[in-house]
Amino acid sequence: MIGSSVAFRTRSWTVLLLGLLTTAPPAAFAANCPGHPDALGTSRTIVVDPHEHPRIGTMQYRETLPLKDHEVVLTFDDGPLPKNSNQVLQILADECIKATFFTIGSQAKANPEGVRKLVAAGHTVGTHSMNHPLTFNKMPIEKAEAEINGGIEWTSAAMTDPSQLAPFFRIPGLMRAEGVEDYLISRGIQVWSADFPADDWRHVSPDRVYQLAIQRLEAKGKGILLLHDIQARTVAALPKIIRELKARGYRIVHVVPATADRPATPTTAVEWLLHPPTETVPIARWPAVPNFVFTETKTLPAPSLADLNAQPAHQPLLPRKAMVQADVAATLPVPGRDLFAIPEGSIEVLLSTTLSRRAATRLAMAAETPHAAKGKAARVPARRTAHAAHAAPKHAAQAKSATPHPTRVASLKKRAQ
């Protein structure tokens, strides 16, 4: 009982300590930097799994590191170059800041001691190709693989413990190519871009490097800053950048790769977005329809050919609609010959022509009111009757061609009078 109580108190103190490390003000981090009470320090370390999030950096990709507001990751490319890289290392050490360095294989080959200094200081070391060509976006994949492997080989060879090399890679000049990215991802290497640069590779003043770094950081609120430890202007601007970060309440985050003994930091998918959507921001597209889980998953049996009353031998030759019509017709009796017989002189025959329709109309009216029809027929002008007499043979000929038993013209005239 006493042992369980002690274990509970130990776990409670551990949770409290982790919470303080996450939310502590900059002064608390500076206290962990002996001899430098005003240091910015490193607020926390996050562990990432390259397999789960293979591409990061919103300058080129959708995702970035799972940072909170006002958190910054410092990254440096192209070293180590003793003259300037050692000064950058000293500036970071005075502030107890941990950063990520992307080294070039030829630099590591010429200055292996510089690589060992990075590891000894606790920084994360990735690679940046063998010779830093700015043609990764158009070179053959075989040449790109040689550049990637050469940088990894010489950087790991410079380390006392090659396992300290992080599976992080930044394409030189950010000249991305799908084939290069696919090759890196197939090897479990995470492709790093950045969220904003300070343009310290250009011929600008150190003050301009400082201004761009702070302005672009303020515009995004957090993210990965791209710098170069081989540049003298970066050495001059870095102390001022760090002081401004501290004045504005920014915190430094260190990134390390996941290993078998060091699992990835638990995160959600939305945390890997630079600016996750909120309920106050409208979305310009409809959300995806979810996959519902039904309580009843039983399916109905497929209908058989017998249910469709169709013959299997002829089923593939006819469409479904034609098959159904044929089945229905097969069940009806055959109509008799007298069904289609039309008596000569009937109204149906008279309706076959324009003139006959008029005569049929008069006959129908005469049948209803014989006296009115007789008086009306008597008043029909003689010229109209004569016109009908001349037109009747023509229409009778049409009726002869359309029906097997035409009505005689004389009977039409007799009924029309």
Side-chain angles (χ1 to χ4, degrees), residues 218-414:
E218 285 283 276
K220 294 201 171 185
K222 61 180 179 180
I224 305 170
L225 173 59
L226 171 58
L227 296 168
H228 295 78
D229 58 308
I230 66 171
Q231 298 292 344
R233 62 180 65 91
T234 305
V235 174
L238 187 57
K240 191 175 181 180
I241 292 174
I242 294 174
R243 287 196 300 269
E244 192 65 23
L245 292 178
K246 183 178 179 181
R248 294 175 184 249
Y250 285 92
R251 301 175 301 277
I252 301 297
V253 174
H254 186 208
V255 184
V256 296
T259 62
D261 301 327
R262 185 172 57 193
T265 302
T267 57
T268 60
V270 73
E271 292 181 75
W272 292 80
L273 302 178
L274 185 66
H275 297 296
T278 64
E279 294 182 357
T280 59
V281 178
I283 299 176
R285 58 178 176 80
W286 288 103
V289 178
N291 294 324
F292 294 101
V293 178
F294 297 94
T295 57
E296 186 69 28
T297 58
K298 184 178 180 181
T299 58
L300 297 175
S304 62
L305 295 176
D307 297 332
L308 300 176
N309 193 21
Q311 298 179 7
H314 300 288
Q315 182 188 11
L317 302 178
L318 295 176
R320 182 177 299 176
K321 184 176 181 181
M323 287 166 38
V324 174
Q325 291 177 351
D327 296 338
V328 173
T331 61
L332 297 177
V334 179
R337 294 176 61 86
D338 57 348
L339 180 64
F340 302 100
I342 301 177
E344 185 177 354
S346 65
I347 295 178
E348 288 82 357
V349 175
L350 293 175
L351 290 174
S352 62
T353 63
T354 304
L355 180 61
S356 299
R357 284 196 296 271
R358 295 173 182 173
T361 303
R362 286 195 294 272
L363 285 175
M365 294 176 62
E368 295 178 0
T369 56
H371 299 287
K374 184 176 180 181
K376 185 176 180 180
R379 292 193 296 272
V380 174
R383 65 178 181 273
R384 186 171 181 180
T385 305
H387 175 76
H390 288 290
K394 179 181 179 180
H395 293 289
Q398 294 177 353
K400 181 178 180 180
S401 63
T403 60
H405 302 288
T407 304
R408 294 183 178 181
V409 176
S411 63
L412 288 176
K413 293 173 65 177
K414 184 178 179 179

